[in-house]
Structure formats: C-alpha cells, structure tokens
Amino acid sequence: MNTATRLALLAACALALMLAAVCIGPTHLLDLPRLLQLLSGAPRTPELDRAALVLWELRLPRVLLAAAAGANLALGGLLLQAIFRNPLAEPYLLGISSGGALGAVVALSAGAASVTWPALAGSLAVAALVLLLCRNRVASDLPSLLLAGVALGALAQAFTTGIILRFDPGALRSILFWLMGSFAGQGWPAVALVAAAAACGSVAALLLHRPLDLLALGGESAHHLGVRVRGVQTGGIFLASALAAITVATCGTIGFVGLMAPHIARRLAGFPHAASVPGSTLVGAMLAVGADLAARTVMAGTELPVGVVTGALGCVFFLALLRQKR
C-alpha cells in the first residue's frame, strides 16, 4: 500500500470519528439529515431548533477544536522527536504547559474574563527563556535545553500552586478542570485560532521535511549534507513551542498526545517526514477527538477532563515505549 493510500485511509478514519463525535453525546444528533431542513427554509420546530443549537454552538466547535488541538500537539511532538533524536520527546518537556498555566491563574487572580492571551504569553515566555538560556548550545548540547525546560517548568508550577491556594473553593474546581484540559465552553473564535495554527504549522513542518529526515543521521552528517543544523533546530523548537502554547492557552494541559501521535503515524504512514507530518496531524486529531468523546460519555451524568483520558492512554504507551527501547 503506497503512502498516498495510507494517508487517504487515515483521513477517512479521522472524518468518520469526527462525525461520530458530533452525533454522540447527551443530546444525540444521529438524525443529522433532518437539520438540513433548517437550511432549506422548512418550517421550524422546537426540536429542530434545539438540535441545531447543540450542533452549531456546542458540538461542532468542540469537535473541530479537539481535532485542531490534537494536530498541533502531534506536530510539536514530531518536530521535537526529530530534533532531539529522542523517541520520548514531546512538547511539554520545555515547560510550555507550566508557563501557560501560570499565565492563566495570574490572569484569573487579577479578575480577567479570558485566560487565552495571558496563558499564551506565559507559554511563549517560558519557551523563549529556555531558548535564551541555551542560545549558544542549541545545536551542540540539546540535553541542556531539555533540562532548562524541566527546571523552568517546575518553577512555573510552583508559582501556579501558590497562587491557586489563594482562590476560593468555588473557583478552584473550574481552574483545576481547565488545567487538566478541556474542549468545553469554547466558541468559534477559539476554533479559528487553533485551526489556523494547525494549518500554518503543517505547512511549515512540510517545508522542513528534508532537513528533518537528514537530522536523523546526526547533526554532523546533516551539516555535511548542506543542512543549516542550528537554524533548523532553533526554528523547529520555536514552531513546536508556539503550537503547544496556543493549544495550552485555549484548551489547558493535554498531555501525551504529542508523544503518542508521531509514533503511531510513522507506523501507519511511513518514516519520511513528507508522510509522517500529515500522518501525525491526522493521528493527533483522532487521539484528541476520541479522548474528548470518551471524556464526555464514559461516565453518565458527568464529564472527565480530557487530560485524564490522554494521561491514562499515555502512561500505557510510555511504558510500552520504554520496554521496546530496552
């Protein structure tokens, strides 16, 4: 089976899962064809109006947001795994999620109505600080970059915990729910922001597919083959950080998607990044949409944070990777 056929099958599976996620929920929309009556000018009924409201204002933006967020995290994981040549690398290693959480709780403590832009600023600030601290050793000492990210992430997490303790119990639950990841309550502006980031990130990653392939041979070998190693590494790290930062700012912390999706995509679509980049976006979208569907349906009458579902899946996947590597 060639690469194009594999990608087409992945795209078909992603669309089928997204359609299922739109239809399944507390309000079932399995009779979606009836909603076309609203567009054809047919007489409206209260039932159709309610179904249309659920579809256009709640279910569809949530599913599209989950798909775009999963694609962003998958692209970030693919880039970092290629740059660090480490199968366990994923976007949140650079402290991006902790920075976003800190920006969000600072904004909430100041009485801000929205946390998207403060969280985005916090995530990008931590990523920029990590790159600044290791600006002279990006190409030669990548482990230092990871250590700097872990250290700054821990510092941001400490400040976040200190601020959260000052909140009243009523607000604490909603903050913790956001910190553990959720696609609920977001409208079309959030979908447009995250989807635009996914589209731009996919194009940029595809333009880097050949240098990323050559980096697998090692930095020195890639340099002799004409790759500007430091520029590719810095640009890839910044792109992965920006994608993860936008996702964290909009949806909270959703772990392990960036770890799992690239591995699954390489097995299904192939190793060259010309195939694994679109494959990773599709697999990441399916993982996020599937996790969100499970989060809102697995327990009747309640909704789990998406991060709980992806964390459970990611733990099993991470242990399997360690065993395979050993």
Side-chain angles (χ1 to χ4, degrees):
M1 188 182 298
N2 59 35
T3 300
T5 304
R6 293 180 180 184
L7 291 176
L9 288 175
L10 281 176
C13 291
L15 289 175
L17 181 59
M18 292 172 65
L19 180 59
V22 168
C23 294
I24 299 173
T27 300
H28 287 279
L29 300 177
L30 296 176
D31 54 348
L32 279 176
R34 291 201 305 155
L35 295 178
L36 296 176
Q37 298 176 25
L38 293 174
L39 303 177
S40 63
R44 296 191 177 187
T45 64
E47 182 183 358
L48 282 178
D49 284 342
R50 181 171 178 269
L53 178 64
V54 171
L55 174 66
W56 296 112
E57 300 299 328
L58 299 177
R59 199 71 59 76
L60 189 58
R62 178 168 183 162
V63 171
L64 293 177
L65 179 63
N72 283 340
L73 296 176
L75 282 174
L78 181 69
L79 290 168
L80 293 182
Q81 288 173 17
I83 290 170
F84 289 105
R85 286 185 291 150
N86 188 333
L88 302 180
E90 62 108 14
Y92 295 148
L93 281 178
L94 298 181
I96 298 168
S97 61
S98 299
L102 178 59
V105 298
V106 168
L108 289 173
S109 66
S114 174
V115 300
T116 300
W117 297 111
L120 179 60
S123 295
L124 291 178
V126 171
L129 187 56
V130 170
L131 289 174
L132 182 64
L133 290 174
C134 302
R135 63 186 181 277
N136 295 324
R137 298 189 294 177
V138 172
S140 60
D141 192 8
L142 290 174
S144 295
L145 197 70
L146 287 175
L147 291 175
V150 171
L152 289 176
L155 180 62
Q157 183 62 42
F159 280 114
T160 301
T161 303
I163 296 173
I164 285 177
L165 292 176
R166 300 178 57 187
F167 281 87
D168 62 89
L172 188 59
R173 185 179 184 278
S174 61
I175 293 171
L176 291 178
F177 197 89
W178 181 87
L179 290 176
M180 298 178 72
S182 176
F183 301 119
Q186 300 290 350
W188 289 105
V191 175
L193 174 64
V194 181
C200 294
S202 298
V203 172
L206 280 174
L207 293 176
L208 291 173
H209 76 90
R210 184 177 180 275
L212 292 175
D213 287 342
L214 295 177
L215 279 178
L217 303 174
E220 186 175 351
S221 299
H223 174 73
H224 289 308
L225 291 171
V227 177
R228 298 177 60 184
V229 176
R230 182 170 180 174
V232 171
Q233 289 175 337
T234 303
I237 291 171
F238 177 79
L239 178 59
S241 301
L243 292 173
I246 291 172
T247 303
V248 170
T250 309
C251 312
T253 304
I254 303 169
F256 289 107
V257 174
L259 172 67
M260 295 186 288
H263 289 279
I264 299 173
R266 281 190 286 265
R267 287 184 177 273
L268 297 179
F271 174 78
H273 286 84
S276 60
V277 167
S280 293
T281 60
L282 293 171
V283 173
M286 285 191 285
L287 285 174
V289 171
D292 181 57
L293 179 60
R296 56 187 170 88
T297 58
V298 70
M299 296 180 63
T302 186
E303 181 176 319
L304 294 173
V306 179
V308 172
V309 180
T310 59
L313 293 174
C315 179
V316 176
F317 192 88
F318 188 84
L319 293 176
L321 276 181
L322 287 178
R323 183 175 181 181
Q324 182 181 14
K325 187 176 180 180
R326 186 180 302 115

